[in-house]
Amino acid sequence: MNEFWEAKVTLQWAELGSSYDVVIIGGGGHGLATAYNLAVKHGITNVAVIEKDYIGGGNSGRNTTVIRSNYGKPEPVRFYQRSLDLYRQLEDETDRWIMHDERGLLWLAHTEAGRRQERSRSSMNLAFGAETHFVEPEEIAKLAPGINLDAGGEFPITGGSLHVGGATARHDRVNWAFAEGAMRAGVTIVQGVKVEGLILDGDRVVGVKTNTGDVAAGTVVSAVGGHATTIATMANVRLPIRTHPLQAFVTNHYEQTWDAIVASNDLGFYISQTARGEMLGGSHIDPQPSYSRRSDHHFINEISRRIVALFPFMGNLRVLRQWTGICDMSPDYTPIMGFTSAPGFLITTGWGTWGFKAIPAGGEAMAQLIASGETPELIAPFSIDRFANDRTLADRGSSGTH
Amino acid sequence: MLEPLLLTRIVSTPAALDTADIPAEVIVLRTAPDEALVLADSSTISVDDPHAIIVDDTGWHGAWMSWDQAIPFLQANCAWELPAERPSMAQGRVADAPAKLWLEDDRMLIVVPHVMARDVADRMGS
Amino acid sequence: MSFEYEGQTIPTSADESVLLSLLRAGIHPGSGGPLCFEGDCPNCLCTIDDVSYVRSCQTPAEVAVEVSPHGRDAPPLPPLDAGAPAIAVDYRVADVVVIGGGESGLQACAAAEANGRSVECFDASTGHDVVAIYPGPLVLVRTHGGMIEVECDEIVVATGAAEIHPVVPGSDLEGLWMPRAARKAVDAGLDLGQLVSVGNVPDALGATAAPGELVRFVGDHTVSAVITATADGEVETPCDNVVVGLGLHPRTGLARMGNGMNVRVVGDALLDADIPTCPPEGIACPCSNVTFEQLDNLHDRGFTHMELLKRGSLAGTGTCQGSVCTPYLRSFLQDRGQALQAPFTARPVARQLTLSEMAAGSHLPKLARTALDDVHRSLGARMDRMGGWWRPWTYGDTEAEYTAVRERVSLGDVSTLGKMIVTGPDAEATLQRIFPTNVSTIKPGRSRYVLMLDERGYVLDDGMIAREHDDTFFLTFTSGGASMSEMWIRDWSASWGHDIRILNQTLSLGAINITGPKAAEVLARATDDELPPFLGHSTLTIAGVECKVFRLSFTGELSFELHHPAADSVKLWTALMELGADHDIRPHGIEALFRLRLEKGHIIIGQDTDYDASPRRLQHEWAVNMNTGDFIGRTATERTNRIPLDKKLVGIETDGDTLVDGAVMWSGTEFAGTVSSSMWSPTLGKGVALAWLETVTGAFPETVRIDGVEARVVPPHFYDPEGSRARA
Ligand SMILES: Cc1cc2nc3c(=O)[nH]c(=O)nc-3n(C[C@H](O)[C@H](O)[C@H](O)COP(=O)(O)OP(=O)(O)OC[C@H]3O[C@@H](n4cnc5c(N)ncnc54)[C@H](O)[C@@H]3O)c2cc1C
């Protein structure tokens, strides 16, 4: 028997009813965590999560599982740090093994500007509760075994930051832990049901139309990663979102002995070894917006070159599989959460390439918002109003690639 | 292989460029409807557009390659398809540089900005 | 010929696989399980020359040097000090690629060739593993000597069908064979001893048939008997080897990978899959070591969707990519009452290859080099990657470079600046709308600093605008902003229907900045012409090179920017260095330049600004003339100006300390912003910085604390605020 199989989670499926207090569209991490928090923390159990494929079949089951809070502005650092803290306790809270492994994330600089940025990041992080330290190349050589500090001659490492709380977890297990908890508390989760329209009463959203029938709802939450604009348009809400593919790959598995999580913005990749021993890597989004999930040769051809320049030994690892997800990118690289101009219609989107780490805190905050009718302070800066109010949270340098 | 070139850069109305007075034997790389790179010095050229920009340009390096040399080089360094017509001009990314290609029956001229010439030359050598 | 295996020298012969050589030597390299000899299963894996997960049945013995067994458990990582081998790529173009050289594949080749089409045909058994079909269509082939990439119009998948592997208890013993493998083994002269067959096996193998249905294999490490079920109960048939025929499962992975492309499937790859009986126990997925017990357990707990079952058990996620277990997962779910499920989405790669093989043919991204690149390197400069260019960060003594500018004279390579000619009847009208300044008041021969705003009123770039003649302008932009700025101006002028001509000369012109109190004196030695006044420009011959000379200042000292044909950069640089030798002229790098400009409070787009930098926040409202017409960003600026200001770029001074770039500022216990750029000013004898100051309870603080140090908020012009030195 392999030790990594899911030995505990029980998923209790139910039939979709015709009316709920809250209908959540999208059974990804954010939808599931929102449902979990509503039911478990706020006692709101008349909730349905409607998933068109299978739970976690979107980006929440195809990401590269990096959890970190080393952002560049106070608001995101606080928010992601809350998520990081929630991840730390998620195994205890749910009594499920999510393979949470906190081993520190190394973010490399290859230029003087990059060095300066990693110094800034460290200061900003320490000020707002995330532990990040600037590190010199000599230390990096120890933290990332096998690294070539010269990186092929043209990308010499000039420094970096070590984000001590950087971690990984098994994506599927996170989704299942939240799904199971929600189901157990009475939430209805259905798979293979697609929301094809919204039911409007004037401006107000009062339900959803699905391929299996209409469902009335007090509140509708759109948690449809990769399709946020399609659903929002049905509520006459315009989102400043563009959808881009993001690709990743994994190698065969090897003894788990490489403890680093390494990211290089300049070389455009990040890599870590999973608990199961696969080397898992990803890159930047594809520049062209698209809904296609087809993987291409250019991505793997380029990223392999870059990885091998930095870690020559990885040249001998064997690639097992590559895949693609589609990411809803916000213009300032910060999520968009909360109320919209359509009453009864809430969004949690703009999770781009960085939303796996945000699942626990995102679900917690959305549930608080629904339960109280007020936007929690932690996510108030992420409201869609910020674009009209000249309060965008430009943080591209921290979004990195994951 | 890449050598500095002396070119003339012309920007004018498309119509004026269509009828520009350029010696017949000179190679003209029509890079856009309103822009051309001409393999000659600017004194030999005139265009019927009072607002035309006509300047000497030393910012390009180029090399002639026989097709025996060019084909393997392009296969490894150019992801797009060349036009079939000869002679003709093509442009796009070649060896990671914005390149202009002049295609003749038995040879090809590649022209790249001098700022990328060193790296393109390395790729031509390998 | 030979290779090493665990200290043993294994003799080999040409045209033989590593597996066959090992079997001849009496060694089964995997950890048991049936052998297929076709690369489908994970049962002959070896580590060969530092690369693990290599199917020894598909690897010619002649390429192997060091072979070790690999087992079911994860092998160690490759040695950390191993280098990455360079792999060659053979690029090909064909009308048709046929994958699989069996009967149907060869027929497809012949048919295509008869139609006059060019064909490439690949078969794994001859060392050509087709690993993926990508959009293009592009077929990626791995060989033992390198990679082959074929661009094609059509792909014919003739990959045949794999034999269904047994997964009953005992399926991990040695001595089990798939029928085709047994055929090859016998043909190769291996002695299979007492050979027993179960299921549907060709008679030609001469095996003794065990009666009935397969139940399990027994043996200690190696099979000694096969147990079958007959109407009369279980029967045990003793044996040395067993050949197992359970039917065929078409190899459709590549066909499914090419879904939506011009892909045609022929031959056995088209077969309807046999759905094997699902045994009550056994290991369904040998790669991930998943038992039927686990599958049942998961199924009972709601993991009923094929994807959830796979993800929950990890069956199908291992090295054989589901080749062994997919038939059983399908039969398992069918057995539990579900409709027959389709196989999983097929993703690249079908067969594994190393990262070095994957990287073959690609290159690290390259940066532009100015015409002075060699000069900088020969002067010992440390080059840094910046804004898409290689630039000299320092020539080794940044203090001395700084001092040369402040006290004498220095050269800087500013060839990376964006440079553009805009001319034509509507040139002024275009620029009037592009820039938030009154372009009509810029006289020929004069220039002005400008911001470029986007529709949201945020700063896209900054630079200079110089009028040459009535309708001809020369613009400069930041090093990183040139291409974007060109597109920006082209797009807008086209949308306005303006009649203009644009030429981006960024890569065609070099530019050298000569700066310092002695700059004019040195320049005067190089030209007979008169130098332009401050913010003026003219075309002069300097040291025999025709230059557009702009007098402006980023360093705070008297400065002239000399724009010239790129081919003349080295000549001009060398001449100026010689002419300034008596003033101990020396070049300055970017590090010194950043300090010089910081003392002047000049911003650097990208370093001191982010996506939301408006002129008001940058305290650059002086560069925005709201009394001109309708410029891009005007409406947004009017609107956002009505919203209370939340943060601004200010100067910060400290008495004894240098602040760290990026340091956080506090006012009492409240966050008050961050330091953007900082330095110790040797000239002023204090620490100076540009910083983003935020309001604290509605007002901007006048002092802040940074890393325990008290600092004053001041206007961001530390050095020569009147600008008398630049105007001298
Ligand atoms: C390759 C890759 C690597 C990544 N790496 C990281 C990382 O390392 N760290 C990190 O923090 N983030 C990472 N991310 C980002 C992260 O995966 C996402 O931000 C996050 O999973 C988003 O979660 P979600 O619940 O919003 O969306 P999803 O998980 O995509 O869920 C949305 C769900 O909505 C469903 N849906 C869509 N339309 C409908 C409809 N009409 N009706 C019903 N259901 C519908 C979809 O099927 C899907 O299941 C990565 C993403 C990718 C693609």
Side-chain angles (χ1 to χ4, degrees), chain C residues 385-621:
Chain C
R385 303 170 50 254
M386 190 178 287
W389 294 82
W390 283 113
R391 304 195 69 184
W393 177 249
T394 172
Y395 296 89
D397 189 346
T398 298
E399 273 68 40
E401 295 164 29
Y402 166 92
T403 309
V405 177
R406 282 280 177 262
E407 295 177 2
R408 303 188 311 277
V409 59
S410 172
L411 298 185
D413 179 4
V414 292
S415 303
T416 59
L417 285 171
K419 312 174 203 75
M420 192 189 295
I421 299 173
V422 178
T423 185
D426 294 328
E428 182 180 311
T430 293
L431 299 177
Q432 192 73 272
R433 292 171 75 168
I434 293 286
F435 296 116
T437 193
N438 192 348
V439 175
S440 69
T441 59
I442 303 171
K443 299 198 172 65
R446 302 294 299 171
S447 62
R448 186 179 292 166
Y449 172 82
V450 280
L451 297 175
M452 195 163 79
L453 307 182
D454 67 12
E455 304 94 316
R456 291 166 295 203
Y458 298 144
V459 173
L460 277 177
D461 205 6
D462 69 351
M464 299 295 295
I465 167 170
R467 190 191 288 256
E468 300 202 330
H469 316 292
D470 281 349
D471 61 2
T472 303
F473 295 82
F474 188 80
L475 313 178
T476 63
F477 301 94
T478 62
S479 305
S483 307
M484 180 274 299
S485 298
E486 179 189 351
M487 280 194 277
W488 185 256
I489 295 176
R490 280 190 190 281
D491 280 3
W492 280 111
S493 70
S495 76
W496 296 323
H498 281 172
D499 182 13
I500 63 166
R501 321 277 177 275
I502 296 174
L503 177 60
N504 184 345
Q505 291 194 293
T506 305
L507 305 184
S508 300
L509 299 181
I512 293 171
N513 185 27
I514 177 164
T515 178
K518 305 284 186 211
E521 187 188 324
V522 173
L523 214 46
R525 297 172 184 171
T527 182
D528 298 331
D529 302 329
E530 198 183 321
L531 297 174
F534 187 62
L535 292 183
H537 60 93
S538 48
T539 300
L540 310 179
T541 304
I542 312 272
V545 176
E546 185 169 298
C547 298
K548 272 183 198 163
V549 180
F550 295 85
R551 183 164 163 202
L552 41 83
S553 180
F554 193 53
T555 62
E557 304 296 339
L558 178 61
S559 308
F560 299 88
E561 244 172 54
L562 314 177
H563 294 234
H564 56 273
D568 293 327
S569 288
V570 176
K571 176 178 168 190
L572 182 62
W573 176 279
T574 312
L576 293 172
M577 288 295 280
E578 277 166 17
L579 291 170
D582 59 332
H583 288 301
D584 194 14
I585 192 170
R586 61 158 74 214
H588 60 272
I590 303 299
E591 185 176 31
L593 182 66
F594 278 16
R595 294 186 190 178
L596 292 157
R597 67 87 203 187
L598 175 53
E599 285 181 336
K600 281 297 294 174
H602 291 312
I603 56 168
I604 296 177
I605 303 295
Q607 169 153 340
D608 302 307
T609 67
D610 209 323
Y611 158 93
D612 61 352
S614 58
R616 185 170 62 138
R617 286 189 173 127
L618 290 171
Q619 300 208 70
H620 272 51
E621 283 180 287

Side-chain angles (χ1 to χ4, degrees), chain A residues 9 116 253 266 294 322 388, chain C residues 53 134 259 301 385 676:
Chain A
V9 165
R116 186 179 157 275
H253 50 284
D266 251 18
R294 197 187 276 284
Q322 53 178 122
Chain C
Y53 292 98
Y134 289 109
N259 196 6
R301 284 186 284 113
R385 303 170 50 254
S676 168

Side-chain angles (χ1 to χ4, degrees), chain A residues 70-85:
Chain A
N70 57 343
Y71 280 69
K73 300 234 157 182
E75 298 85 350
V77 175
R78 273 199 208 106
F79 173 77
Y80 291 111
Q81 183 61 33
R82 171 69 187 158
S83 213
L84 197 139
D85 290 340

Side-chain angles (χ1 to χ4, degrees), chain A residues 114-133:
Chain A
R115 191 178 151 89
R116 186 179 157 275
Q117 193 175 22
E118 292 326 299
R119 273 198 197 289
S120 305
R121 182 187 312 290
S122 309
S123 306
M124 174 56 71
N125 288 186
L126 287 170
F128 291 95
E131 195 183 346
T132 305
H133 305 289

Side-chain angles (χ1 to χ4, degrees), chain C residues 143-482:
Chain C
T143 74
H144 297 288
M147 304 296 297
I148 304 173
E149 284 180 25
V150 196
E151 279 176 43
C152 60
D153 292 330
E154 188 188 351
I155 297 168
V156 177
V157 174
T159 43
E163 292 167 307
I164 295 175
H165 280 233
V167 296
V168 296
S171 293
D172 54 352
L173 293 170
E174 290 181 13
L176 309 181
W177 302 82
M178 306 313 296
R180 296 176 198 153
R183 177 78 264 155
K184 286 180 195 151
V186 169
D187 289 350
L190 290 186
D191 178 8
L192 298 184
Q194 170 68 26
L195 183 64
V196 169
S197 69
V198 277
N200 189 4
V201 171
D203 295 338
L205 275 168
T208 314
E213 296 272 310
L214 176 63
V215 175
R216 63 184 181 275
F217 303 104
V218 290
D220 176 14
H221 201 70
T222 305
V223 69
S224 55
V226 55
I227 311 290
T228 45
T230 65
D232 306 329
E234 284 188 359
V235 176
E236 176 166 344
T237 313
C239 61
D240 297 322
N241 282 283
V242 188
V243 54
V244 193
L246 299 177
L248 297 175
H249 211 261
R251 295 191 190 100
T252 55
L254 284 166
R256 285 180 287 125
M257 205 181 289
N259 196 6
M261 293 181 238
N262 190 8
V263 174
R264 197 153 52 84
V265 185
V266 299
D268 279 1
L270 273 179
L271 287 178
D272 279 340
D274 290 325
I275 300 300
T277 343
C278 186
E281 51 178 341
I283 292 173
C285 167
C287 299
S288 299
N289 203 13
V290 178
T291 62
F292 282 101
E293 192 188 343
Q294 284 175 307
L295 291 182
D296 253 328
N297 188 311
L298 278 161
H299 193 262
D300 289 348
R301 284 186 284 113
F303 286 73
T304 45
H305 191 286
M306 174 113 144
E307 268 291 339
L308 292 183
L309 190 65
K310 164 179 135 188
R311 287 163 179 259
S313 65
L314 300 176
T317 65
T319 183
C320 87
Q321 300 273 43
S323 168
V324 171
C325 68
T326 303
Y328 291 101
L329 291 177
R330 299 177 74 195
S331 84
F332 172 85
L333 286 173
Q334 200 179 32
D335 212 58
R336 302 299 181 273
Q338 293 193 30
L340 186 63
Q341 306 280 309
F344 307 115
T345 312
R347 303 200 171 101
V349 289
R351 296 243 171 120
Q352 290 124 64
L353 68 172
T354 65
L355 274 175
S356 287
E357 287 165 334
M358 260 307 188
S362 67
H363 300 265
L364 287 180
K366 295 294 179 193
L367 294 185
R369 303 165 192 267
T370 75
L372 293 166
D373 192 75
D374 283 340
V375 172
H376 302 315
R377 289 175 200 263
S378 68
L379 288 168
R382 183 152 71 70
M383 303 300 283
D384 189 32
R385 303 170 50 254
M386 190 178 287
W389 294 82
W390 283 113
R391 304 195 69 184
W393 177 249
T394 172
Y395 296 89
D397 189 346
T398 298
E399 273 68 40
E401 295 164 29
Y402 166 92
T403 309
V405 177
R406 282 280 177 262
E407 295 177 2
R408 303 188 311 277
V409 59
S410 172
L411 298 185
D413 179 4
V414 292
S415 303
T416 59
L417 285 171
K419 312 174 203 75
M420 192 189 295
I421 299 173
V422 178
T423 185
D426 294 328
E428 182 180 311
T430 293
L431 299 177
Q432 192 73 272
R433 292 171 75 168
I434 293 286
F435 296 116
T437 193
N438 192 348
V439 175
S440 69
T441 59
I442 303 171
K443 299 198 172 65
R446 302 294 299 171
S447 62
R448 186 179 292 166
Y449 172 82
V450 280
L451 297 175
M452 195 163 79
L453 307 182
D454 67 12
E455 304 94 316
R456 291 166 295 203
Y458 298 144
V459 173
L460 277 177
D461 205 6
D462 69 351
M464 299 295 295
I465 167 170
R467 190 191 288 256
E468 300 202 330
H469 316 292
D470 281 349
D471 61 2
T472 303
F473 295 82
F474 188 80
L475 313 178
T476 63
F477 301 94
T478 62
S479 305

Side-chain angles (χ1 to χ4, degrees), chain C residues 98-145:
Chain C
V98 177
I99 307 171
E103 205 180 299
S104 62
L106 294 178
Q107 271 170 17
C109 285
E113 271 163 1
N115 283 334
R117 308 180 74 198
S118 60
V119 182
E120 292 277 355
C121 179
F122 300 105
D123 192 279
S125 67
T126 59
H128 296 91
D129 252 340
V130 173
V131 291
I133 295 175
Y134 289 109
L138 178 75
V139 177
L140 188 64
V141 187
R142 173 186 174 276
T143 74
H144 297 288

Side-chain angles (χ1 to χ4, degrees), chain A residues 30 51-52 59-60 63-64 66 195 225 351 353-357:
Chain A
H30 282 277
E51 167 56 47
K52 70 171 176 191
N59 285 357
S60 298
N63 63 77
T64 45
V66 176
V195 171
W351 291 116
T353 64
W354 51 82
F356 172 70
K357 64 178 75 64

